[in-house]
mmCIF file with all atom_site columns, all heavy atoms in Angstrom:
data_model
loop_
_atom_site.group_PDB
_atom_site.id
_atom_site.type_symbol
_atom_site.label_atom_id
_atom_site.label_alt_id
_atom_site.label_comp_id
_atom_site.label_asym_id
_atom_site.label_entity_id
_atom_site.label_seq_id
_atom_site.pdbx_PDB_ins_code
_atom_site.Cartn_x
_atom_site.Cartn_y
_atom_site.Cartn_z
_atom_site.occupancy
_atom_site.B_iso_or_equiv
_atom_site.pdbx_formal_charge
_atom_site.auth_seq_id
_atom_site.auth_comp_id
_atom_site.auth_asym_id
_atom_site.auth_atom_id
_atom_site.pdbx_PDB_model_num
ATOM 1  N N   . LYS A 1 396 ? -252.206 3.470  92.160 1.00 0.00 ? 420 LYS A N   1
ATOM 2  C CA  . LYS A 1 396 ? -253.623 3.535  91.786 1.00 0.00 ? 420 LYS A CA  1
ATOM 3  C C   . LYS A 1 396 ? -253.940 4.867  91.090 1.00 0.00 ? 420 LYS A C   1
ATOM 4  O O   . LYS A 1 396 ? -254.781 4.933  90.197 1.00 0.00 ? 420 LYS A O   1
ATOM 5  C CB  . LYS A 1 396 ? -254.457 3.387  93.058 1.00 0.00 ? 420 LYS A CB  1
ATOM 6  C CG  . LYS A 1 396 ? -255.941 3.541  92.862 1.00 0.00 ? 420 LYS A CG  1
ATOM 7  C CD  . LYS A 1 396 ? -256.653 3.344  94.179 1.00 0.00 ? 420 LYS A CD  1
ATOM 8  C CE  . LYS A 1 396 ? -257.944 4.130  94.210 1.00 0.00 ? 420 LYS A CE  1
ATOM 9  N NZ  . LYS A 1 396 ? -258.544 4.100  95.536 1.00 0.00 ? 420 LYS A NZ  1
ATOM 10 N N   . HIS A 1 397 ? -253.254 5.927  91.492 1.00 0.00 ? 421 HIS A N   1
ATOM 11 C CA  . HIS A 1 397 ? -253.526 7.252  90.912 1.00 0.00 ? 421 HIS A CA  1
ATOM 12 C C   . HIS A 1 397 ? -252.560 7.620  89.789 1.00 0.00 ? 421 HIS A C   1
ATOM 13 O O   . HIS A 1 397 ? -252.390 8.792  89.470 1.00 0.00 ? 421 HIS A O   1
ATOM 14 C CB  . HIS A 1 397 ? -253.516 8.315  92.018 1.00 0.00 ? 421 HIS A CB  1
ATOM 15 C CG  . HIS A 1 397 ? -254.653 8.161  92.978 1.00 0.00 ? 421 HIS A CG  1
ATOM 16 N ND1 . HIS A 1 397 ? -255.967 8.342  92.607 1.00 0.00 ? 421 HIS A ND1 1
ATOM 17 C CD2 . HIS A 1 397 ? -254.685 7.793  94.289 1.00 0.00 ? 421 HIS A CD2 1
ATOM 18 C CE1 . HIS A 1 397 ? -256.757 8.112  93.649 1.00 0.00 ? 421 HIS A CE1 1
ATOM 19 N NE2 . HIS A 1 397 ? -256.007 7.768  94.678 1.00 0.00 ? 421 HIS A NE2 1
ATOM 20 N N   . GLY A 1 398 ? -251.914 6.603  89.225 1.00 0.00 ? 422 GLY A N   1
ATOM 21 C CA  . GLY A 1 398 ? -251.038 6.873  88.074 1.00 0.00 ? 422 GLY A CA  1
ATOM 22 C C   . GLY A 1 398 ? -249.700 7.468  88.471 1.00 0.00 ? 422 GLY A C   1
ATOM 23 O O   . GLY A 1 398 ? -249.096 8.223  87.703 1.00 0.00 ? 422 GLY A O   1
ATOM 24 N N   . GLY A 1 399 ? -249.207 7.149  89.666 1.00 0.00 ? 423 GLY A N   1
ATOM 25 C CA  . GLY A 1 399 ? -247.962 7.743  90.150 1.00 0.00 ? 423 GLY A CA  1
ATOM 26 C C   . GLY A 1 399 ? -246.713 7.187  89.468 1.00 0.00 ? 423 GLY A C   1
ATOM 27 O O   . GLY A 1 399 ? -246.728 6.110  88.873 1.00 0.00 ? 423 GLY A O   1
ATOM 28 N N   . ARG A 1 400 ? -245.644 7.977  89.578 1.00 0.00 ? 424 ARG A N   1
ATOM 29 C CA  . ARG A 1 400 ? -244.323 7.554  89.102 1.00 0.00 ? 424 ARG A CA  1
ATOM 30 C C   . ARG A 1 400 ? -243.325 7.859  90.216 1.00 0.00 ? 424 ARG A C   1
ATOM 31 O O   . ARG A 1 400 ? -243.309 8.973  90.735 1.00 0.00 ? 424 ARG A O   1
ATOM 32 C CB  . ARG A 1 400 ? -243.926 8.346  87.852 1.00 0.00 ? 424 ARG A CB  1
ATOM 33 C CG  . ARG A 1 400 ? -244.840 8.138  86.648 1.00 0.00 ? 424 ARG A CG  1
ATOM 34 C CD  . ARG A 1 400 ? -244.575 9.212  85.595 1.00 0.00 ? 424 ARG A CD  1
ATOM 35 N NE  . ARG A 1 400 ? -245.370 9.029  84.386 1.00 0.00 ? 424 ARG A NE  1
ATOM 36 C CZ  . ARG A 1 400 ? -245.649 10.018 83.530 1.00 0.00 ? 424 ARG A CZ  1
ATOM 37 N NH1 . ARG A 1 400 ? -245.201 11.248 83.769 1.00 0.00 ? 424 ARG A NH1 1
ATOM 38 N NH2 . ARG A 1 400 ? -246.351 9.783  82.445 1.00 0.00 ? 424 ARG A NH2 1
ATOM 39 N N   . PRO A 1 401 ? -242.462 6.890  90.591 1.00 0.00 ? 425 PRO A N   1
ATOM 40 C CA  . PRO A 1 401 ? -241.548 7.124  91.714 1.00 0.00 ? 425 PRO A CA  1
ATOM 41 C C   . PRO A 1 401 ? -240.378 8.032  91.346 1.00 0.00 ? 425 PRO A C   1
ATOM 42 O O   . PRO A 1 401 ? -239.938 8.044  90.193 1.00 0.00 ? 425 PRO A O   1
ATOM 43 C CB  . PRO A 1 401 ? -241.044 5.718  92.056 1.00 0.00 ? 425 PRO A CB  1
ATOM 44 C CG  . PRO A 1 401 ? -241.185 4.944  90.798 1.00 0.00 ? 425 PRO A CG  1
ATOM 45 C CD  . PRO A 1 401 ? -242.351 5.531  90.042 1.00 0.00 ? 425 PRO A CD  1
ATOM 46 N N   . HIS A 1 402 ? -239.908 8.785  92.325 1.00 0.00 ? 426 HIS A N   1
ATOM 47 C CA  . HIS A 1 402 ? -238.681 9.586  92.185 1.00 0.00 ? 426 HIS A CA  1
ATOM 48 C C   . HIS A 1 402 ? -237.536 8.587  92.008 1.00 0.00 ? 426 HIS A C   1
ATOM 49 O O   . HIS A 1 402 ? -237.388 7.657  92.793 1.00 0.00 ? 426 HIS A O   1
ATOM 50 C CB  . HIS A 1 402 ? -238.492 10.395 93.474 1.00 0.00 ? 426 HIS A CB  1
ATOM 51 C CG  . HIS A 1 402 ? -237.390 11.403 93.432 1.00 0.00 ? 426 HIS A CG  1
ATOM 52 N ND1 . HIS A 1 402 ? -236.206 11.188 92.770 1.00 0.00 ? 426 HIS A ND1 1
ATOM 53 C CD2 . HIS A 1 402 ? -237.291 12.631 93.994 1.00 0.00 ? 426 HIS A CD2 1
ATOM 54 C CE1 . HIS A 1 402 ? -235.424 12.241 92.926 1.00 0.00 ? 426 HIS A CE1 1
ATOM 55 N NE2 . HIS A 1 402 ? -236.060 13.134 93.664 1.00 0.00 ? 426 HIS A NE2 1
ATOM 56 N N   . TRP A 1 403 ? -236.700 8.802  90.992 1.00 0.00 ? 427 TRP A N   1
ATOM 57 C CA  . TRP A 1 403 ? -235.648 7.839  90.666 1.00 0.00 ? 427 TRP A CA  1
ATOM 58 C C   . TRP A 1 403 ? -234.588 7.695  91.761 1.00 0.00 ? 427 TRP A C   1
ATOM 59 O O   . TRP A 1 403 ? -233.907 6.678  91.842 1.00 0.00 ? 427 TRP A O   1
ATOM 60 C CB  . TRP A 1 403 ? -234.983 8.226  89.350 1.00 0.00 ? 427 TRP A CB  1
ATOM 61 C CG  . TRP A 1 403 ? -235.874 8.042  88.169 1.00 0.00 ? 427 TRP A CG  1
ATOM 62 C CD1 . TRP A 1 403 ? -236.505 9.031  87.451 1.00 0.00 ? 427 TRP A CD1 1
ATOM 63 C CD2 . TRP A 1 403 ? -236.266 6.801  87.543 1.00 0.00 ? 427 TRP A CD2 1
ATOM 64 N NE1 . TRP A 1 403 ? -237.259 8.480  86.432 1.00 0.00 ? 427 TRP A NE1 1
ATOM 65 C CE2 . TRP A 1 403 ? -237.123 7.119  86.466 1.00 0.00 ? 427 TRP A CE2 1
ATOM 66 C CE3 . TRP A 1 403 ? -235.968 5.463  87.808 1.00 0.00 ? 427 TRP A CE3 1
ATOM 67 C CZ2 . TRP A 1 403 ? -237.686 6.138  85.641 1.00 0.00 ? 427 TRP A CZ2 1
ATOM 68 C CZ3 . TRP A 1 403 ? -236.528 4.491  86.981 1.00 0.00 ? 427 TRP A CZ3 1
ATOM 69 C CH2 . TRP A 1 403 ? -237.372 4.835  85.912 1.00 0.00 ? 427 TRP A CH2 1
ATOM 70 N N   . ALA A 1 404 ? -234.397 8.727  92.581 1.00 0.00 ? 428 ALA A N   1
ATOM 71 C CA  . ALA A 1 404 ? -233.340 8.645  93.598 1.00 0.00 ? 428 ALA A CA  1
ATOM 72 C C   . ALA A 1 404 ? -233.800 7.891  94.841 1.00 0.00 ? 428 ALA A C   1
ATOM 73 O O   . ALA A 1 404 ? -232.988 7.532  95.675 1.00 0.00 ? 428 ALA A O   1
ATOM 74 C CB  . ALA A 1 404 ? -232.878 10.039 94.000 1.00 0.00 ? 428 ALA A CB  1
ATOM 75 N N   . LYS A 1 405 ? -235.108 7.699  94.968 1.00 0.00 ? 429 LYS A N   1
ATOM 76 C CA  . LYS A 1 405 ? -235.626 7.126  96.209 1.00 0.00 ? 429 LYS A CA  1
ATOM 77 C C   . LYS A 1 405 ? -235.884 5.630  96.036 1.00 0.00 ? 429 LYS A C   1
ATOM 78 O O   . LYS A 1 405 ? -236.042 5.141  94.931 1.00 0.00 ? 429 LYS A O   1
ATOM 79 C CB  . LYS A 1 405 ? -236.938 7.830  96.619 1.00 0.00 ? 429 LYS A CB  1
ATOM 80 C CG  . LYS A 1 405 ? -236.903 9.361  96.507 1.00 0.00 ? 429 LYS A CG  1
ATOM 81 C CD  . LYS A 1 405 ? -236.305 10.025 97.729 1.00 0.00 ? 429 LYS A CD  1
ATOM 82 C CE  . LYS A 1 405 ? -235.935 11.474 97.499 1.00 0.00 ? 429 LYS A CE  1
ATOM 83 N NZ  . LYS A 1 405 ? -236.944 12.439 97.899 1.00 0.00 ? 429 LYS A NZ  1
ATOM 84 N N   . ALA A 1 406 ? -235.949 4.927  97.163 1.00 0.00 ? 430 ALA A N   1
ATOM 85 C CA  . ALA A 1 406 ? -236.217 3.489  97.106 1.00 0.00 ? 430 ALA A CA  1
ATOM 86 C C   . ALA A 1 406 ? -237.668 3.270  96.666 1.00 0.00 ? 430 ALA A C   1
ATOM 87 O O   . ALA A 1 406 ? -238.568 3.974  97.086 1.00 0.00 ? 430 ALA A O   1
ATOM 88 C CB  . ALA A 1 406 ? -235.984 2.883  98.476 1.00 0.00 ? 430 ALA A CB  1
#
Side-chain angles (χ1 to χ4, degrees):
K420 175 179 151 188
H421 293 294
R424 297 166 177 158
H426 188 324
W427 291 106
K429 315 276 165 95

